[in-house]
Amino acid sequence: MAIGAALAITTVIYVVGHPTAMFTILTGAQFGDEGKGKVIDLLAENYDVVVRFQGGDNAGHTVVVGDKTYKLHLVPSGAILGARLLIGPGVVVNPKVLYDEVNVLKSEGIKVDLGIDAKTSIIMPYHIELDKLRENARSQKIGTTNRGIGFAYVDKFSREEIQMQDLTDPLLLEEKLKEIAPAKEKAISDMGGDPSIVRDRGLLKEYLDIGEKLKDNVTDVSLEINLALEDERNVLAEGAQGAFLDIIHGTQKFVTSSFTTAGSACANLGVGPVMVDNVVGVIKAYITRVGEGPMPTELKDEIGLKMREKGGEYGTTTGRARRCGWFDAVLGLKSVFLNGYTEMALTKLDVLTGLDPIKICVAYEIGGETIDYPPESTSDFARCKPLYEDMPGWTEDITNAKSYDDLPENARSYVERLEDLLGVDISAVSVGPARDQTIFREE
Ligand code: GDP
Ligand code: IMO
Ligand code: MG
């Protein structure tokens, strides 16, 4: 078939199958904590539904509104603007954390219209215990958030998960727990832990109680999203973590246990890839990482400390100090490839004010060779030395800049250089945590 004919068919299918509503996927382009919460809160104004598609309460997404700061771990970041909030079946949910988070928001006067997919995996206390025991036993630590994420995903893939819908079915939950408990007790004992955590705490009653509290929120997320799009309501898929924490494409083993790139949104949510309109990447003007694992541009000097203090680089979930370093365009480009970004939001440009020069890593040196794409092997990646290009800094306070032209010339040159290196438009630049500290570069 001629390419022209194939294209014509594709177009017909596209037009028929693709309603005018917008389906946007947003993901983190580095090692997490890029400022996704802030950007989602801003975008949420244009979306009717905001949905989390992977990860769990290892995520910590910050939304700042006036003098209030919301740190969201499971509730999607569209909460403050009143969107329909959904948690997809690919998320692992600690229902108690979720219930408490919803109540805190409600007590602040926020209306939380939440749906949780019936098939969402539940993080049980034994997952958290196993996560802690395993991490303690590792000679080379990952630095997990101790939220039981990895072990909950293990149970999903080994088909021994407890799902959200099971918490509303006493007989089924009892049967499942009976089946699962001996293996969990043994695993905990084998790792030197206290197996009584599995039974003695009355898991059945505890989880039926929480199921009762959340039962009105149980829904079919795939169906809701597809109907919303058909109904011309816009849907925003909120990624957690970032590209290099991805279980496949990240820096194994120093990664999380879910698929963090944009492609995963469709698979996890049950939405066809043809429905995707935009893929937004959120990227920090420098780079941070919390937990272990290589990061070639890490600065263990005064500049790194300055970035940490000025950028408030302490974990939203664990409070751990984040490691900071210069912008890594080699990783940045890989992230663009992994996600297929149609546009990007650059955050925390204000943190670089006062640094001169500002360095951008444009290649790595490894074993005497220069490479411009990260190697597949994590141990090779750990040996990569950054090769930098220097950009002139600026000293002017940019936290009140309202338009792109308000930025000093050197700040604009920095943004444009990143845009060149990544090959993607940077359509928003963030210069502070607040909503109005954002510059939209609409042409
Ligand atoms: P997320 O996990 O990607 O949502 O990011 P986090 O919320 O964990 O971390 C980002 C932190 O930076 C939060 O404390 C935000 O309030 C803050 N933040 C976001 N954008 C900016 C910005 O442009 N400048 C500064 N100084 N802080 C920002
Ligand atoms: P958001 O969504 C930054 C890191 C942990 C650890 C590794 C594995 O806020 O960007 P896990 O508990 O997931 O098994 O830990 O992943 N990590 C994050 N780092 N931001 C996050 O989420 C993270 N979620 C997990 O620090 O190195
Ligand atoms: Mg975070």
Side-chain angles (χ1 to χ4, degrees), residues 183-193:
K184 299 301 170 199
E185 285 174 330
K186 181 167 182 328
I188 290 174
S189 291
D190 287 352
M191 281 197 242

Side-chain angles (χ1 to χ4, degrees), residues 15 30 42 94 154 164 237 248 264 287 317 351 389 418:
V15 169
Q30 294 158 318
L42 281 169
N94 182 326
V154 166
M164 185 63 221
I248 294 180
S264 135
I287 198 164
T317 298
V351 176
E389 176 179 295
L418 298 189

Side-chain angles (χ1 to χ4, degrees), residues 32-37 58-62 72 241 290 315-317 322:
D33 302 327
E34 297 89 352
K36 298 178 292 294
N58 49 350
H61 297 178
T62 314
L72 304 169
Q241 291 82 51
V290 61
T316 310
T317 298
R322 295 176 184 151

Side-chain angles (χ1 to χ4, degrees), residues 31-34 36 58-61 131 142-147 149-150 240-241 245 255-257 290-292 320:
F31 292 104
D33 302 327
E34 297 89 352
K36 298 178 292 294
N58 49 350
H61 297 178
D131 192 0
I142 294 174
T144 73
T145 57
N146 280 335
R147 298 297 193 269
I149 305 295
Q241 291 82 51
L245 293 176
V255 291
T256 190
S257 300
V290 61
E292 303 302 317
R320 290 177 294 177

Side-chain angles (χ1 to χ4, degrees), residues 8 12 65 94 133 191 241 252 380 428:
V12 170
V65 182
N94 182 326
L133 289 166
M191 281 197 242
Q241 291 82 51
Q252 266 279 16
D380 286 348

